[in-house]
Amino acid sequence: MEKLKKKFGKKAFSEPAEETPVVVPEKKEVLPNIKIVPLGAGQDVGRSCILITIGTKNIMVDCGMHMGYQDDRRFPDFSYVFKKIFLEKTFFFSYIGGGGRLTDYLDCVIISHFHLDHCGSLPHMSEIVGYDGPIYMTYPTKAICPVLLEDYRKVQCDIKGETNFFTSDDIKNCMKKVIGCALHEIIQVDDQLSIRAFYAGHVLGAAMFEIRVGDHSVLYTGDYNMTPDRHLGAARVLPGVRPTILISESTYATTIRDSKRARERDFLRKVHETVMKGGKVIIPVFALGRAQELCILLESYWERMALNVPIYFSQGLAERANQYYRLFISWTNENIKKTFVERNMFEFKHIRPMEKGCEDQPGPQVLFSTPGMLHGGQSLKVFKKWCSDPLNMIIMPGYCVAGTVGARVINGEKRIEIDGKVHEIKLGVEYMSFSAHADAKGIMQLIRQCEPKHVMFVHGEAEKMEFLKGKVEKEYDIPVHMPANGETCVIEVEPKMDIRVPLEKINKSIALDPNPSKLECPFVAEIVYDQEKETIDVMPSTRLVETEDFMPITLSLSEIIKVIKIDWNQIAADLIIYDPNLQQKNDGIEMFHGEITLLANNEKDTELEVIWDESREGWARVVRSSLLRYASPEQTPPPEPQEPSSPIPVNA
């Protein structure tokens, strides 16, 4: 109570008499308009926390911590909820100082995944602010979340000496309120509110959540990745999911990442060159996720090249990864599942646990160290030791929140003060995005799949959101919202009415109009590939919606064109008439948000690979025909140029 008096002023509170009962007025039935308020991650990256109101139901999705702050600003702005309660006079404000202060307001809390910027404030919210209601997350998140929260508590309290922080008991008591949920399981929170989880890729256990009240729904993505990688699959929702509003992260709203093969090739080359010169490479990562992705990549490269330079990872990283990936093998991609019985991909031959003092040993080495943004822990400790040697290199494989040491390093600062001491930054710095977030192409792809009536961007920078907002509104004619923290966004929803019409009246209406087009409908179906039986079948979309055993995929096609010599500048100049927004890279060209990609297929630049999504088949023919002028004499001429046409919409 005293803390809240200091925060809101004494006039807002009155001490309750013990005999006075708490009166909670009945909630009135209202039209189910959707109100959304970011308490964190509104035009910002970090401390994700979104308050969603559908009719009379209030849901909080994510409860993260901002890694760029060390004071109360790292927590979501929970004071907004109390002000909202007071202004709407939903409850007597003098009583919110008691236990369960948020319990009577929130119907449930949902956590999308275990990263601290999405779950780091959960014990603070439930045990210090006060919430006793249900908290939903997937089973992998439920297993991993308390481990990472306890690690973070140790860093803040045992190492940095903080006293105003949640305790180990707070974490345990918080996790007692957690209810695990399986993918595609419809969980009925109460008689009106239901939630359902969908696979999000990103990290083990990450999920998008559909929140439904009556006929209206919100699809909250959390962090997601539309591109499969070496150990996780791509994000996917079931066919037929059509939310009223899609709330999407926008971390990489203006980025279309380079081809994965080129990015991996560049990463391996930089690491190899540095260790061959005798330097050390530090790769800051979070304990689970990109660490496993890059470990698998380096392990196979070291094996192929017969290198004996030591690779270390932070203590406990492999043990944890093996435990969780073995327990939740069904959440990995098909390749990991198939080989897991014969060979555990996470038991590495060339990568071993970090030994005490190994960072001080002479000679080259590679170190995976946590955490990923250099905001503390082992990675910051080693960085301070290695940063002054120009032979060394730091490779930042993911996004860093503004204010962290990692963000300052990426921005090119040469002198950085850390813990009161100024450090000269002389080592090589490389930022290579292996981040498992959806890029601009992936975000547009999800919008195209879900066909929402509204889109909202969170978890991104305002300028980048504004850019993507314009593209979505122009291409899909959908209203896009991007509220700041504390700003309420109201979505006016149209009431839905079902009308029962007797079959005889429908038949009579058809009989009165002899037009044959009224008697039949276009055939819409899905092409389904059964991996076990190796068969292809055509199946009605309605049956797929009711089934959980299918994963929608997008087919990509490619063709190799032999050329005399690739001239990217000239090719880009020829193709820009088809896509004014094409992006020319060092090793290729991307068109239509990456749905058509041109890459060099050999080091001599005499083979050009054209890769296109099935949805761009029409434009791909035009592009391939335009490339005919560069073809070498032995190249078989592509088909005659044709105007792009809209193919029959068959989802694969």
Side-chain angles (χ1 to χ4, degrees):
M1 176 70 82
E2 292 302 320
K3 289 182 180 179
L4 291 174
K5 282 183 178 180
K6 290 178 182 178
K7 196 167 188 71
F8 300 109
K10 293 183 179 179
K11 291 183 180 179
F13 294 85
S14 61
E15 294 291 346
E18 290 187 6
E19 67 275 7
T20 306
V22 178
V23 180
V24 180
E26 293 183 2
K27 296 180 180 179
K28 296 180 180 180
E29 290 297 326
V30 295
L31 288 175
N33 286 340
I34 300 175
K35 298 179 182 178
I36 301 171
V37 187
L39 306 184
Q43 300 183 13
D44 186 21
V45 178
R47 64 177 181 194
S48 286
C49 186
I50 314 296
L51 188 63
I52 301 172
T53 301
I54 309 178
T56 60
K57 300 298 175 182
N58 300 300
I59 306 98
M60 180 182 289
V61 287
D62 281 340
C63 191
M65 187 172 290
H66 201 299
M67 297 298 138
Y69 298 116
Q70 293 300 314
D71 52 25
D72 283 349
R73 290 176 295 174
R74 62 188 162 195
F75 301 117
D77 186 9
F78 299 115
S79 67
Y80 175 87
V81 182
F82 297 128
K83 293 173 186 174
K84 183 172 171 40
I85 294 171
F86 178 63
L87 293 173
E88 294 182 355
K89 299 181 180 179
T90 306
F91 308 109
F92 282 107
F93 194 62
S94 54
Y95 290 95
I96 65 172
R101 293 185 294 273
L102 289 173
T103 309
D104 293 325
Y105 183 72
L106 294 176
D107 291 281
C108 72
V109 173
I110 297 170
I111 301 298
S112 64
H113 64 288
F114 58 69
H115 277 160
L116 292 177
D117 61 333
H118 290 259
C119 73
S121 293
L122 192 58
H124 176 85
M125 186 274 294
S126 68
E127 307 309 309
I128 297 175
V129 179
Y131 173 72
D132 299 323
I135 301 170
Y136 295 96
M137 58 183 73
T138 65
Y139 289 103
T141 304
K142 183 180 179 181
I144 299 169
C145 187
V147 178
L148 298 187
L149 286 171
E150 178 60 23
D151 280 356
Y152 189 61
R153 186 206 64 78
K154 288 178 181 177
V155 171
Q156 296 300 114
C157 300
D158 300 348
I159 298 176
K160 294 187 177 181
E162 281 202 44
T163 55
N164 186 24
F165 208 73
F166 54 76
T167 65
S168 294
D169 286 339
D170 288 335
I171 297 172
K172 292 174 184 175
N173 291 331
C174 171
M175 295 307 296
K176 290 177 182 177
K177 303 167 187 175
V178 172
I179 300 172
C181 52
L183 290 177
H184 305 162
E185 175 190 7
I186 298 177
I187 296 177
Q188 206 68 41
V189 179
D190 58 29
D191 57 346
Q192 298 179 45
L193 172 63
S194 66
I195 64 173
R196 180 166 54 159
F198 298 110
Y199 191 83
H202 187 62
V203 293
L204 189 69
M208 306 178 184
F209 278 89
E210 180 192 42
I211 304 160
R212 177 170 291 278
V213 175
D215 295 323
H216 305 293
S217 65
V218 174
L219 181 61
Y220 174 73
T221 67
D223 292 347
Y224 66 105
N225 189 8
M226 297 297 287
T227 306
D229 55 32
R230 289 175 180 267
H231 74 295
L232 294 175
R236 53 189 181 268
V237 296
L238 291 177
V241 173
R242 298 289 182 265
T244 308
I245 180 167
L246 170 69
I247 304 178
S248 171
E249 67 141 318
S250 53
T251 316
Y252 290 97
T254 59
T255 305
I256 296 178
R257 285 194 284 271
D258 297 332
S259 70
K260 183 181 175 185
R261 284 182 294 178
R263 197 161 63 246
E264 291 179 346
R265 191 167 58 238
D266 195 26
F267 168 78
L268 294 172
R269 180 173 58 82
K270 290 284 175 34
V271 172
H272 196 168
E273 288 177 354
T274 301
V275 297
M276 288 299 100
K277 293 176 183 176
K280 297 176 171 64
V281 181
I282 179 173
I283 307 170
V285 291
F286 289 104
L288 288 156
R290 295 311 90 197
Q292 284 69 47
E293 184 78 4
L294 296 177
C295 279
I296 293 172
L297 182 61
L298 272 186
E299 171 78 7
S300 60
Y301 184 76
W302 249 236
E303 184 78 26
R304 192 165 66 249
M305 302 298 290
L307 298 175
N308 57 7
V309 175
I311 305 176
Y312 299 105
F313 44 72
S314 294
Q315 284 284 358
L317 189 61
E319 292 84 350
R320 283 184 195 169
N322 273 318
Q323 176 187 350
Y324 294 131
Y325 281 96
R326 188 179 294 111
L327 184 60
F328 301 110
I329 189 67
S330 63
W331 285 75
T332 60
N333 64 21
E334 290 301 320
N335 184 47
I336 296 290
K337 292 176 190 175
K338 288 178 181 178
T339 60
F340 195 78
V341 176
E342 301 169 5
R343 182 202 169 193
N344 183 355
M345 292 288 286
F346 304 103
E347 290 178 356
F348 304 115
K349 175 182 175 183
H350 299 277
I351 306 173
R352 54 184 185 265
M354 185 177 181
E355 302 163 359
K356 187 175 181 180
C358 73
E359 72 270 20
D360 299 320
Q361 295 174 359
Q365 64 174 272
V366 179
L367 171 63
F368 289 96
S369 189
T370 59
M373 298 186 189
L374 292 178
H375 55 276
Q378 188 71 36
S379 61
L380 184 59
K381 178 183 174 183
V382 174
F383 174 77
K384 290 189 289 186
K385 292 182 178 182
W386 291 3
C387 66
S388 60
D389 189 342
L391 284 178
N392 298 336
M393 173 173 285
I394 182 170
I395 296 179
M396 303 297 296
Y399 185 88
C400 290
V401 171
T404 59
V405 174
R408 298 173 68 185
V409 169
I410 291 173
N411 289 336
E413 294 188 30
K414 296 300 181 184
R415 291 168 57 86
I416 298 178
E417 183 178 341
I418 306 173
D419 298 331
K421 181 181 178 181
V422 176
H423 294 264
E424 298 284 342
I425 311 302
K426 296 181 180 179
L427 84 173
V429 177
E430 292 289 340
Y431 176 55
M432 301 180 184
S433 178
F434 285 92
S435 181
H437 290 268
D439 59 4
K441 176 188 174 184
I443 295 170
M444 299 288 279
Q445 181 182 343
L446 181 63
I447 294 172
R448 188 166 62 247
Q449 287 178 3
C450 292
E451 299 179 9
K453 295 177 181 175
H454 294 259
V455 171
M456 176 179 289
F457 289 137
V458 296
H459 200 281
E461 299 166 17
E463 290 184 4
K464 295 180 179 179
M465 287 182 180
E466 194 68 53
F467 175 81
L468 191 58
K469 175 179 184 287
K471 292 184 73 66
V472 172
E473 290 179 336
K474 180 179 179 181
E475 187 157 337
Y476 298 119
D477 194 24
I478 298 174
V480 179
H481 314 271
M482 40 176 285
N485 288 333
E487 180 182 342
T488 302
C489 177
V490 180
I491 307 298
E492 298 288 343
V493 296
E494 297 178 359
K496 185 178 178 182
M497 182 180 295
D498 294 326
I499 301 176
R500 293 185 178 181
V501 181
L503 181 60
E504 58 269 19
K505 288 191 178 293
I506 297 176
N507 291 332
K508 183 178 180 181
S509 299
I510 293 175
L512 292 173
D513 188 346
N515 189 339
S517 65
K518 301 289 180 64
L519 302 177
E520 57 187 47
C521 297
F523 177 70
V524 178
E526 312 289 335
I527 297 176
V528 179
Y529 173 62
D530 190 319
Q531 291 181 321
E532 294 182 358
K533 299 179 181 178
E534 296 187 349
T535 59
I536 291 180
D537 196 4
V538 178
M539 187 176 295
S541 302
T542 52
R543 182 177 162 193
L544 274 183
V545 173
E546 300 169 355
T547 310
E548 300 180 1
D549 299 332
F550 299 99
M551 180 181 72
I553 60 171
T554 298
L555 296 179
S556 292
L557 310 172
S558 70
E559 178 181 331
I560 304 295
I561 299 177
K562 294 181 180 180
V563 298
I564 299 171
K565 187 71 174 178
I566 296 175
D567 183 343
W568 292 121
N569 292 330
Q570 184 59 51
I571 293 174
D574 289 346
L575 298 180
I576 200 167
I577 61 172
Y578 305 123
D579 179 14
N581 297 315
L582 70 77
Q583 292 195 8
Q584 182 179 346
K585 312 282 186 177
N586 293 332
D587 62 343
I589 293 173
E590 288 185 342
M591 302 176 65
F592 307 113
H593 309 297
E595 292 174 348
I596 297 181
T597 305
L598 280 64
L599 297 171
N601 196 51
N602 60 13
E603 295 181 356
K604 297 179 181 180
D605 284 348
T606 58
E607 290 186 355
L608 183 64
E609 183 176 10
V610 184
I611 307 169
W612 66 94
D613 290 354
E614 56 174 344
S615 60
R616 293 291 185 179
E617 175 64 38
W619 279 113
R621 289 198 299 267
V622 175
V623 170
R624 283 162 20 230
S625 298
S626 299
L627 297 173
L628 179 61
R629 58 180 294 190
Y630 303 103
S632 58
E634 65 269 23
Q635 171 67 34
T636 303
E640 290 297 318
Q642 302 178 30
E643 285 300 315
S645 59
S646 299
I648 298 174
V650 176
N651 298 325

